[in-house]
PDB file of all heavy atoms in Angstrom:
ATOM      1  N   TYR A 206    -153.741-250.012   1.571  1.00 93.00           N
ATOM      2  CA  TYR A 206    -154.396-251.287   1.831  1.00 93.00           C
ATOM      3  C   TYR A 206    -155.674-251.069   2.709  1.00 93.00           C
ATOM      4  O   TYR A 206    -155.868-250.064   3.329  1.00 93.00           O
ATOM      5  CB  TYR A 206    -153.418-252.207   2.553  1.00 93.00           C
ATOM      6  CG  TYR A 206    -152.955-251.680   3.890  1.00 93.00           C
ATOM      7  CD1 TYR A 206    -153.618-252.082   5.093  1.00 93.00           C
ATOM      8  CD2 TYR A 206    -151.833-250.858   3.980  1.00 93.00           C
ATOM      9  CE1 TYR A 206    -153.115-251.572   6.344  1.00 93.00           C
ATOM     10  CE2 TYR A 206    -151.336-250.414   5.217  1.00 93.00           C
ATOM     11  CZ  TYR A 206    -152.056-250.753   6.406  1.00 93.00           C
ATOM     12  OH  TYR A 206    -151.579-250.320   7.658  1.00 93.00           O
ATOM     13  N   GLY A 207    -156.447-252.093   2.687  1.00 93.00           N
ATOM     14  CA  GLY A 207    -157.790-252.090   3.489  1.00 93.00           C
ATOM     15  C   GLY A 207    -158.808-253.022   2.748  1.00 93.00           C
ATOM     16  O   GLY A 207    -158.453-254.018   2.197  1.00 93.00           O
ATOM     17  N   PHE A 208    -160.056-252.586   2.912  1.00 94.00           N
ATOM     18  CA  PHE A 208    -161.033-253.422   2.294  1.00 94.00           C
ATOM     19  C   PHE A 208    -162.266-252.576   1.836  1.00 94.00           C
ATOM     20  O   PHE A 208    -162.427-251.488   2.345  1.00 94.00           O
ATOM     21  CB  PHE A 208    -161.596-254.462   3.256  1.00 94.00           C
ATOM     22  CG  PHE A 208    -162.177-254.015   4.450  1.00 94.00           C
ATOM     23  CD1 PHE A 208    -163.579-253.840   4.442  1.00 94.00           C
ATOM     24  CD2 PHE A 208    -161.515-253.684   5.632  1.00 94.00           C
ATOM     25  CE1 PHE A 208    -164.313-253.340   5.654  1.00 94.00           C
ATOM     26  CE2 PHE A 208    -162.180-253.242   6.805  1.00 94.00           C
ATOM     27  CZ  PHE A 208    -163.584-253.015   6.836  1.00 94.00           C
ATOM     28  N   LEU A 209    -162.952-253.086   0.934  1.00 93.00           N
ATOM     29  CA  LEU A 209    -164.276-252.437   0.437  1.00 93.00           C
ATOM     30  C   LEU A 209    -165.444-253.442   0.701  1.00 93.00           C
ATOM     31  O   LEU A 209    -165.247-254.635   0.560  1.00 93.00           O
ATOM     32  CB  LEU A 209    -164.067-252.172  -1.088  1.00 93.00           C
ATOM     33  CG  LEU A 209    -163.063-251.256  -1.537  1.00 93.00           C
ATOM     34  CD1 LEU A 209    -163.037-251.294  -3.112  1.00 93.00           C
ATOM     35  CD2 LEU A 209    -163.296-249.854  -1.082  1.00 93.00           C
ATOM     36  N   GLU A 210    -166.569-252.984   1.073  1.00 92.00           N
ATOM     37  CA  GLU A 210    -167.868-253.700   1.118  1.00 92.00           C
ATOM     38  C   GLU A 210    -168.722-253.167  -0.010  1.00 92.00           C
ATOM     39  O   GLU A 210    -169.192-252.035  -0.001  1.00 92.00           O
ATOM     40  CB  GLU A 210    -168.542-253.481   2.444  1.00 92.00           C
ATOM     41  CG  GLU A 210    -167.804-254.082   3.679  1.00 92.00           C
ATOM     42  CD  GLU A 210    -168.099-255.742   3.720  1.00 92.00           C
ATOM     43  OE1 GLU A 210    -168.935-256.165   2.925  1.00 92.00           O
ATOM     44  OE2 GLU A 210    -167.448-256.376   4.551  1.00 92.00           O
ATOM     45  N   VAL A 211    -169.010-254.048  -1.011  1.00 92.00           N
ATOM     46  CA  VAL A 211    -169.639-253.617  -2.253  1.00 92.00           C
ATOM     47  C   VAL A 211    -170.921-254.444  -2.389  1.00 92.00           C
ATOM     48  O   VAL A 211    -170.939-255.634  -1.881  1.00 92.00           O
ATOM     49  CB  VAL A 211    -168.736-253.579  -3.447  1.00 92.00           C
ATOM     50  CG1 VAL A 211    -167.713-252.575  -3.342  1.00 92.00           C
ATOM     51  CG2 VAL A 211    -168.229-254.978  -3.806  1.00 92.00           C
ATOM     52  N   ASN A 212    -171.831-254.152  -3.230  1.00 91.00           N
ATOM     53  CA  ASN A 212    -172.940-254.984  -3.529  1.00 91.00           C
ATOM     54  C   ASN A 212    -172.462-256.203  -4.443  1.00 91.00           C
ATOM     55  O   ASN A 212    -171.432-256.137  -5.184  1.00 91.00           O
ATOM     56  CB  ASN A 212    -174.024-254.200  -4.375  1.00 91.00           C
ATOM     57  CG  ASN A 212    -174.578-253.148  -3.648  1.00 91.00           C
ATOM     58  OD1 ASN A 212    -174.849-253.275  -2.412  1.00 91.00           O
ATOM     59  ND2 ASN A 212    -174.864-251.927  -4.295  1.00 91.00           N
ATOM     60  N   LYS A 213    -173.091-257.340  -4.211  1.00 90.00           N
ATOM     61  CA  LYS A 213    -172.788-258.508  -4.921  1.00 90.00           C
ATOM     62  C   LYS A 213    -173.237-258.572  -6.322  1.00 90.00           C
ATOM     63  O   LYS A 213    -174.096-259.430  -6.726  1.00 90.00           O
ATOM     64  CB  LYS A 213    -173.204-259.756  -4.065  1.00 90.00           C
ATOM     65  CG  LYS A 213    -172.509-260.984  -4.340  1.00 90.00           C
ATOM     66  CD  LYS A 213    -172.859-262.229  -3.594  1.00 90.00           C
ATOM     67  CE  LYS A 213    -172.155-263.422  -3.949  1.00 90.00           C
ATOM     68  NZ  LYS A 213    -172.486-264.559  -3.053  1.00 90.00           N
ATOM     69  N   VAL A 214    -172.917-257.506  -7.055  1.00 91.00           N
ATOM     70  CA  VAL A 214    -173.227-257.434  -8.516  1.00 91.00           C
ATOM     71  C   VAL A 214    -171.930-257.056  -9.261  1.00 91.00           C
ATOM     72  O   VAL A 214    -170.960-256.663  -8.655  1.00 91.00           O
ATOM     73  CB  VAL A 214    -174.419-256.410  -8.687  1.00 91.00           C
ATOM     74  CG1 VAL A 214    -175.621-256.896  -8.085  1.00 91.00           C
ATOM     75  CG2 VAL A 214    -173.977-255.045  -8.153  1.00 91.00           C
ATOM     76  N   ALA A 215    -172.015-257.026 -10.541  1.00 92.00           N
ATOM     77  CA  ALA A 215    -170.770-256.696 -11.306  1.00 92.00           C
ATOM     78  C   ALA A 215    -170.489-255.150 -11.127  1.00 92.00           C
ATOM     79  O   ALA A 215    -171.425-254.391 -10.914  1.00 92.00           O
ATOM     80  CB  ALA A 215    -171.121-256.956 -12.805  1.00 92.00           C
ATOM     81  N   GLY A 216    -169.218-254.935 -11.131  1.00 93.00           N
ATOM     82  CA  GLY A 216    -168.933-253.442 -10.874  1.00 93.00           C
ATOM     83  C   GLY A 216    -167.368-253.305 -11.094  1.00 93.00           C
ATOM     84  O   GLY A 216    -166.683-254.234 -11.683  1.00 93.00           O
ATOM     85  N   ASN A 217    -166.819-252.204 -10.611  1.00 93.00           N
ATOM     86  CA  ASN A 217    -165.420-252.043 -10.665  1.00 93.00           C
ATOM     87  C   ASN A 217    -164.932-251.153  -9.541  1.00 93.00           C
ATOM     88  O   ASN A 217    -165.697-250.328  -9.053  1.00 93.00           O
ATOM     89  CB  ASN A 217    -164.964-251.445 -12.054  1.00 93.00           C
ATOM     90  CG  ASN A 217    -165.196-249.999 -12.104  1.00 93.00           C
ATOM     91  OD1 ASN A 217    -164.365-249.188 -11.719  1.00 93.00           O
ATOM     92  ND2 ASN A 217    -166.315-249.650 -12.689  1.00 93.00           N
ATOM     93  N   PHE A 218    -163.662-251.256  -9.204  1.00 94.00           N
ATOM     94  CA  PHE A 218    -162.989-250.235  -8.344  1.00 94.00           C
ATOM     95  C   PHE A 218    -161.669-249.950  -8.947  1.00 94.00           C
ATOM     96  O   PHE A 218    -161.047-250.707  -9.678  1.00 94.00           O
ATOM     97  CB  PHE A 218    -162.852-250.730  -6.922  1.00 94.00           C
ATOM     98  CG  PHE A 218    -161.908-251.915  -6.742  1.00 94.00           C
ATOM     99  CD1 PHE A 218    -160.588-251.843  -6.328  1.00 94.00           C
ATOM    100  CD2 PHE A 218    -162.398-253.241  -7.011  1.00 94.00           C
ATOM    101  CE1 PHE A 218    -159.780-252.846  -6.209  1.00 94.00           C
ATOM    102  CE2 PHE A 218    -161.623-254.345  -6.786  1.00 94.00           C
ATOM    103  CZ  PHE A 218    -160.251-254.196  -6.416  1.00 94.00           C
ATOM    104  N   HIS A 219    -161.194-248.717  -8.664  1.00 92.00           N
ATOM    105  CA  HIS A 219    -159.955-248.388  -9.309  1.00 92.00           C
ATOM    106  C   HIS A 219    -159.166-247.283  -8.583  1.00 92.00           C
ATOM    107  O   HIS A 219    -159.743-246.571  -7.796  1.00 92.00           O
ATOM    108  CB  HIS A 219    -160.262-247.682 -10.773  1.00 92.00           C
ATOM    109  CG  HIS A 219    -161.219-246.605 -10.810  1.00 92.00           C
ATOM    110  ND1 HIS A 219    -162.568-246.705 -10.850  1.00 92.00           N
ATOM    111  CD2 HIS A 219    -160.990-245.275 -10.590  1.00 92.00           C
ATOM    112  CE1 HIS A 219    -163.162-245.521 -10.860  1.00 92.00           C
ATOM    113  NE2 HIS A 219    -162.228-244.578 -10.673  1.00 92.00           N
ATOM    114  N   PHE A 220    -157.874-247.360  -8.662  1.00 93.00           N
ATOM    115  CA  PHE A 220    -156.991-246.384  -8.071  1.00 93.00           C
ATOM    116  C   PHE A 220    -156.505-245.406  -9.210  1.00 93.00           C
ATOM    117  O   PHE A 220    -156.105-245.921 -10.278  1.00 93.00           O
ATOM    118  CB  PHE A 220    -155.673-247.148  -7.534  1.00 93.00           C
ATOM    119  CG  PHE A 220    -156.072-248.191  -6.485  1.00 93.00           C
ATOM    120  CD1 PHE A 220    -156.252-249.404  -6.794  1.00 93.00           C
ATOM    121  CD2 PHE A 220    -156.131-247.803  -5.159  1.00 93.00           C
ATOM    122  CE1 PHE A 220    -156.576-250.445  -5.912  1.00 93.00           C
ATOM    123  CE2 PHE A 220    -156.411-248.756  -4.202  1.00 93.00           C
ATOM    124  CZ  PHE A 220    -156.656-250.053  -4.531  1.00 93.00           C
ATOM    125  N   ALA A 221    -156.660-244.217  -8.953  1.00 88.00           N
ATOM    126  CA  ALA A 221    -156.310-243.196 -10.028  1.00 88.00           C
ATOM    127  C   ALA A 221    -155.897-241.849  -9.280  1.00 88.00           C
ATOM    128  O   ALA A 221    -156.277-241.631  -8.191  1.00 88.00           O
ATOM    129  CB  ALA A 221    -157.537-242.928 -10.857  1.00 88.00           C
ATOM    130  N   PRO A 222    -155.063-241.028  -9.978  1.00 85.00           N
ATOM    131  CA  PRO A 222    -154.693-239.704  -9.377  1.00 85.00           C
ATOM    132  C   PRO A 222    -155.928-238.686  -9.582  1.00 85.00           C
ATOM    133  O   PRO A 222    -156.687-238.722 -10.491  1.00 85.00           O
ATOM    134  CB  PRO A 222    -153.555-239.291 -10.283  1.00 85.00           C
ATOM    135  CG  PRO A 222    -153.734-239.978 -11.583  1.00 85.00           C
ATOM    136  CD  PRO A 222    -154.404-241.329 -11.195  1.00 85.00           C
ATOM    137  N   GLY A 223    -155.990-237.886  -8.557  1.00 76.00           N
ATOM    138  CA  GLY A 223    -157.023-236.943  -8.628  1.00 76.00           C
ATOM    139  C   GLY A 223    -158.424-237.317  -8.056  1.00 76.00           C
ATOM    140  O   GLY A 223    -158.741-238.453  -7.883  1.00 76.00           O
ATOM    141  N   LYS A 224    -159.163-236.192  -7.765  1.00 71.00           N
ATOM    142  CA  LYS A 224    -160.505-236.469  -7.257  1.00 71.00           C
ATOM    143  C   LYS A 224    -161.508-236.647  -8.369  1.00 71.00           C
ATOM    144  O   LYS A 224    -161.500-235.896  -9.394  1.00 71.00           O
ATOM    145  CB  LYS A 224    -160.950-235.310  -6.351  1.00 71.00           C
ATOM    146  CG  LYS A 224    -162.347-235.495  -5.685  1.00 71.00           C
ATOM    147  CD  LYS A 224    -162.704-234.243  -4.867  1.00 71.00           C
ATOM    148  CE  LYS A 224    -161.949-234.464  -3.529  1.00 71.00           C
ATOM    149  NZ  LYS A 224    -162.501-235.580  -2.738  1.00 71.00           N
ATOM    150  N   SER A 225    -162.380-237.620  -8.379  1.00 66.00           N
ATOM    151  CA  SER A 225    -163.300-238.006  -9.416  1.00 66.00           C
ATOM    152  C   SER A 225    -164.526-237.174  -9.297  1.00 66.00           C
ATOM    153  O   SER A 225    -164.984-236.799  -8.271  1.00 66.00           O
ATOM    154  CB  SER A 225    -163.518-239.444  -9.382  1.00 66.00           C
ATOM    155  OG  SER A 225    -164.146-239.896  -8.135  1.00 66.00           O
ATOM    156  N   PHE A 226    -165.269-236.979 -10.478  1.00 61.00           N
ATOM    157  CA  PHE A 226    -166.527-236.411 -10.521  1.00 61.00           C
ATOM    158  C   PHE A 226    -167.250-236.831 -11.810  1.00 61.00           C
ATOM    159  O   PHE A 226    -166.599-237.387 -12.742  1.00 61.00           O
ATOM    160  CB  PHE A 226    -166.558-234.877 -10.338  1.00 61.00           C
ATOM    161  CG  PHE A 226    -165.716-234.178 -11.327  1.00 61.00           C
ATOM    162  CD1 PHE A 226    -166.264-233.800 -12.510  1.00 61.00           C
ATOM    163  CD2 PHE A 226    -164.320-233.959 -11.264  1.00 61.00           C
ATOM    164  CE1 PHE A 226    -165.490-233.119 -13.495  1.00 61.00           C
ATOM    165  CE2 PHE A 226    -163.497-233.448 -12.167  1.00 61.00           C
ATOM    166  CZ  PHE A 226    -164.225-232.895 -13.336  1.00 61.00           C
ATOM    167  N   GLN A 227    -168.580-236.520 -11.877  1.00 60.00           N
ATOM    168  CA  GLN A 227    -169.316-236.927 -13.020  1.00 60.00           C
ATOM    169  C   GLN A 227    -169.378-235.588 -13.923  1.00 60.00           C
ATOM    170  O   GLN A 227    -169.783-234.562 -13.467  1.00 60.00           O
ATOM    171  CB  GLN A 227    -170.785-237.389 -12.734  1.00 60.00           C
ATOM    172  CG  GLN A 227    -170.730-238.719 -12.060  1.00 60.00           C
ATOM    173  CD  GLN A 227    -170.236-239.805 -12.826  1.00 60.00           C
ATOM    174  OE1 GLN A 227    -169.256-240.381 -12.362  1.00 60.00           O
ATOM    175  NE2 GLN A 227    -170.849-240.077 -13.974  1.00 60.00           N
ATOM    176  N   HIS A 228    -169.056-235.771 -15.255  1.00 56.00           N
ATOM    177  CA  HIS A 228    -169.166-234.674 -16.121  1.00 56.00           C
ATOM    178  C   HIS A 228    -169.744-235.250 -17.455  1.00 56.00           C
ATOM    179  O   HIS A 228    -169.126-236.037 -18.088  1.00 56.00           O
ATOM    180  CB  HIS A 228    -167.745-234.033 -16.422  1.00 56.00           C
ATOM    181  CG  HIS A 228    -167.771-232.881 -17.404  1.00 56.00           C
ATOM    182  ND1 HIS A 228    -168.264-231.662 -17.092  1.00 56.00           N
ATOM    183  CD2 HIS A 228    -167.237-232.865 -18.722  1.00 56.00           C
ATOM    184  CE1 HIS A 228    -168.203-230.904 -18.037  1.00 56.00           C
ATOM    185  NE2 HIS A 228    -167.541-231.586 -19.053  1.00 56.00           N
ATOM    186  N   ALA A 229    -170.904-234.573 -17.826  1.00 55.00           N
ATOM    187  CA  ALA A 229    -171.593-234.996 -19.135  1.00 55.00           C
ATOM    188  C   ALA A 229    -171.805-236.528 -19.057  1.00 55.00           C
ATOM    189  O   ALA A 229    -171.712-237.162 -20.117  1.00 55.00           O
ATOM    190  CB  ALA A 229    -170.789-234.518 -20.275  1.00 55.00           C
ATOM    191  N   GLY A 230    -172.184-237.028 -17.910  1.00 58.00           N
ATOM    192  CA  GLY A 230    -172.521-238.506 -17.749  1.00 58.00           C
ATOM    193  C   GLY A 230    -171.375-239.341 -17.804  1.00 58.00           C
ATOM    194  O   GLY A 230    -171.441-240.586 -17.792  1.00 58.00           O
ATOM    195  N   ALA A 231    -170.103-238.851 -17.681  1.00 60.00           N
ATOM    196  CA  ALA A 231    -168.879-239.608 -17.858  1.00 60.00           C
ATOM    197  C   ALA A 231    -168.059-239.508 -16.455  1.00 60.00           C
ATOM    198  O   ALA A 231    -168.211-238.479 -15.852  1.00 60.00           O
ATOM    199  CB  ALA A 231    -167.945-239.224 -18.897  1.00 60.00           C
ATOM    200  N   HIS A 232    -167.419-240.497 -16.088  1.00 64.00           N
ATOM    201  CA  HIS A 232    -166.646-240.522 -14.982  1.00 64.00           C
ATOM    202  C   HIS A 232    -165.234-240.002 -15.282  1.00 64.00           C
ATOM    203  O   HIS A 232    -164.522-240.683 -16.003  1.00 64.00           O
ATOM    204  CB  HIS A 232    -166.532-241.998 -14.366  1.00 64.00           C
ATOM    205  CG  HIS A 232    -165.713-242.044 -13.130  1.00 64.00           C
ATOM    206  ND1 HIS A 232    -166.162-241.726 -11.849  1.00 64.00           N
ATOM    207  CD2 HIS A 232    -164.466-242.465 -12.952  1.00 64.00           C
ATOM    208  CE1 HIS A 232    -165.310-241.985 -10.962  1.00 64.00           C
ATOM    209  NE2 HIS A 232    -164.128-242.401 -11.541  1.00 64.00           N
ATOM    210  N   VAL A 233    -164.856-238.908 -14.680  1.00 61.00           N
ATOM    211  CA  VAL A 233    -163.492-238.262 -14.880  1.00 61.00           C
ATOM    212  C   VAL A 233    -162.925-237.850 -13.651  1.00 61.00           C
ATOM    213  O   VAL A 233    -163.515-237.800 -12.558  1.00 61.00           O
ATOM    214  CB  VAL A 233    -163.733-236.947 -15.877  1.00 61.00           C
ATOM    215  CG1 VAL A 233    -164.247-237.324 -17.175  1.00 61.00           C
ATOM    216  CG2 VAL A 233    -164.589-235.990 -15.141  1.00 61.00           C
ATOM    217  N   HIS A 234    -161.587-237.679 -13.705  1.00 64.00           N
ATOM    218  CA  HIS A 234    -160.773-237.304 -12.560  1.00 64.00           C
ATOM    219  C   HIS A 234    -160.170-235.885 -12.763  1.00 64.00           C
ATOM    220  O   HIS A 234    -159.722-235.626 -13.885  1.00 64.00           O
ATOM    221  CB  HIS A 234    -159.680-238.267 -12.247  1.00 64.00           C
ATOM    222  CG  HIS A 234    -160.133-239.519 -11.626  1.00 64.00           C
ATOM    223  ND1 HIS A 234    -159.749-239.906 -10.264  1.00 64.00           N
ATOM    224  CD2 HIS A 234    -160.952-240.546 -12.074  1.00 64.00           C
ATOM    225  CE1 HIS A 234    -160.322-241.018  -9.986  1.00 64.00           C
ATOM    226  NE2 HIS A 234    -161.038-241.384 -10.990  1.00 64.00           N
ATOM    227  N   ASP A 235    -160.212-235.091 -11.721  1.00 62.00           N
ATOM    228  CA  ASP A 235    -159.662-233.749 -11.804  1.00 62.00           C
ATOM    229  C   ASP A 235    -158.123-233.769 -11.610  1.00 62.00           C
ATOM    230  O   ASP A 235    -157.685-234.005 -10.482  1.00 62.00           O
ATOM    231  CB  ASP A 235    -160.324-232.856 -10.743  1.00 62.00           C
ATOM    232  CG  ASP A 235    -159.901-231.453 -10.704  1.00 62.00           C
ATOM    233  OD1 ASP A 235    -159.204-231.097 -11.755  1.00 62.00           O
ATOM    234  OD2 ASP A 235    -160.083-230.654  -9.786  1.00 62.00           O
ATOM    235  N   LEU A 236    -157.404-233.633 -12.669  1.00 63.00           N
ATOM    236  CA  LEU A 236    -156.027-233.695 -12.703  1.00 63.00           C
ATOM    237  C   LEU A 236    -155.333-232.399 -12.688  1.00 63.00           C
ATOM    238  O   LEU A 236    -154.096-232.277 -12.531  1.00 63.00           O
ATOM    239  CB  LEU A 236    -155.479-234.551 -13.817  1.00 63.00           C
ATOM    240  CG  LEU A 236    -156.049-236.014 -13.906  1.00 63.00           C
ATOM    241  CD1 LEU A 236    -155.455-236.725 -15.065  1.00 63.00           C
ATOM    242  CD2 LEU A 236    -155.688-236.694 -12.658  1.00 63.00           C
ATOM    243  N   LEU A 237    -156.155-231.280 -12.928  1.00 58.00           N
ATOM    244  CA  LEU A 237    -155.558-229.862 -13.137  1.00 58.00           C
ATOM    245  C   LEU A 237    -154.794-229.431 -11.842  1.00 58.00           C
ATOM    246  O   LEU A 237    -153.785-228.774 -12.015  1.00 58.00           O
ATOM    247  CB  LEU A 237    -156.694-228.937 -13.427  1.00 58.00           C
ATOM    248  CG  LEU A 237    -157.321-229.172 -14.767  1.00 58.00           C
ATOM    249  CD1 LEU A 237    -158.540-228.150 -14.956  1.00 58.00           C
ATOM    250  CD2 LEU A 237    -156.292-228.943 -15.812  1.00 58.00           C
ATOM    251  N   PRO A 238    -155.294-229.705 -10.551  1.00 57.00           N
ATOM    252  CA  PRO A 238    -154.473-229.203  -9.417  1.00 57.00           C
ATOM    253  C   PRO A 238    -153.163-229.674  -9.344  1.00 57.00           C
ATOM    254  O   PRO A 238    -152.294-228.985  -8.762  1.00 57.00           O
ATOM    255  CB  PRO A 238    -155.413-229.645  -8.286  1.00 57.00           C
ATOM    256  CG  PRO A 238    -156.787-229.912  -8.829  1.00 57.00           C
ATOM    257  CD  PRO A 238    -156.530-230.376 -10.141  1.00 57.00           C
ATOM    258  N   PHE A 239    -152.839-230.844  -9.932  1.00 61.00           N
ATOM    259  CA  PHE A 239    -151.552-231.378  -9.706  1.00 61.00           C
ATOM    260  C   PHE A 239    -150.481-230.811 -10.691  1.00 61.00           C
ATOM    261  O   PHE A 239    -149.286-230.977 -10.514  1.00 61.00           O
ATOM    262  CB  PHE A 239    -151.600-232.979  -9.869  1.00 61.00           C
ATOM    263  CG  PHE A 239    -152.625-233.500  -9.015  1.00 61.00           C
ATOM    264  CD1 PHE A 239    -153.614-234.265  -9.470  1.00 61.00           C
ATOM    265  CD2 PHE A 239    -152.651-233.292  -7.629  1.00 61.00           C
ATOM    266  CE1 PHE A 239    -154.548-234.868  -8.730  1.00 61.00           C
ATOM    267  CE2 PHE A 239    -153.627-233.863  -6.770  1.00 61.00           C
ATOM    268  CZ  PHE A 239    -154.643-234.631  -7.386  1.00 61.00           C
ATOM    269  N   GLN A 240    -151.021-230.095 -11.741  1.00 57.00           N
ATOM    270  CA  GLN A 240    -150.134-229.442 -12.641  1.00 57.00           C
ATOM    271  C   GLN A 240    -149.060-230.399 -13.160  1.00 57.00           C
ATOM    272  O   GLN A 240    -147.879-230.084 -13.350  1.00 57.00           O
ATOM    273  CB  GLN A 240    -149.438-228.188 -12.050  1.00 57.00           C
ATOM    274  CG  GLN A 240    -150.445-227.211 -11.428  1.00 57.00           C
ATOM    275  CD  GLN A 240    -149.792-226.054 -10.678  1.00 57.00           C
ATOM    276  OE1 GLN A 240    -148.569-226.043 -10.458  1.00 57.00           O
ATOM    277  NE2 GLN A 240    -150.603-225.099 -10.254  1.00 57.00           N
ATOM    278  N   LYS A 241    -149.457-231.587 -13.601  1.00 64.00           N
ATOM    279  CA  LYS A 241    -148.666-232.572 -14.203  1.00 64.00           C
ATOM    280  C   LYS A 241    -149.304-233.140 -15.404  1.00 64.00           C
ATOM    281  O   LYS A 241    -150.523-233.241 -15.522  1.00 64.00           O
ATOM    282  CB  LYS A 241    -148.358-233.707 -13.164  1.00 64.00           C
ATOM    283  CG  LYS A 241    -147.549-233.318 -11.946  1.00 64.00           C
ATOM    284  CD  LYS A 241    -147.423-234.489 -11.012  1.00 64.00           C
ATOM    285  CE  LYS A 241    -146.437-235.552 -11.635  1.00 64.00           C
ATOM    286  NZ  LYS A 241    -146.150-236.648 -10.653  1.00 64.00           N
ATOM    287  N   ASP A 242    -148.458-233.501 -16.496  1.00 66.00           N
ATOM    288  CA  ASP A 242    -149.089-234.091 -17.638  1.00 66.00           C
ATOM    289  C   ASP A 242    -148.777-235.558 -17.735  1.00 66.00           C
ATOM    290  O   ASP A 242    -149.029-236.250 -18.783  1.00 66.00           O
ATOM    291  CB  ASP A 242    -148.442-233.331 -18.867  1.00 66.00           C
ATOM    292  CG  ASP A 242    -146.927-233.452 -18.960  1.00 66.00           C
ATOM    293  OD1 ASP A 242    -146.264-234.026 -18.022  1.00 66.00           O
ATOM    294  OD2 ASP A 242    -146.422-232.900 -19.941  1.00 66.00           O
ATOM    295  N   SER A 243    -148.224-236.231 -16.713  1.00 75.00           N
ATOM    296  CA  SER A 243    -147.961-237.642 -16.695  1.00 75.00           C
ATOM    297  C   SER A 243    -148.011-238.141 -15.366  1.00 75.00           C
ATOM    298  O   SER A 243    -147.615-237.435 -14.389  1.00 75.00           O
ATOM    299  CB  SER A 243    -146.624-238.024 -17.477  1.00 75.00           C
ATOM    300  OG  SER A 243    -145.486-237.408 -16.712  1.00 75.00           O
TER     301      SER A 243
END
Side-chain angles (χ1 to χ4, degrees):
Y206 62 93
F208 66 89
L209 300 172
E210 289 282 353
V211 299
N212 296 324
K213 199 173 179 181
V214 296
N217 81 84
F218 65 97
H219 56 269
F220 301 91
K224 182 176 284 291
S225 59
F226 58 92
Q227 294 297 118
H228 179 70
H232 179 81
V233 296
H234 281 248
D235 182 14
L236 305 178
L237 294 176
F239 309 124
Q240 301 174 357
K241 297 178 67 175
D242 58 357
S243 66

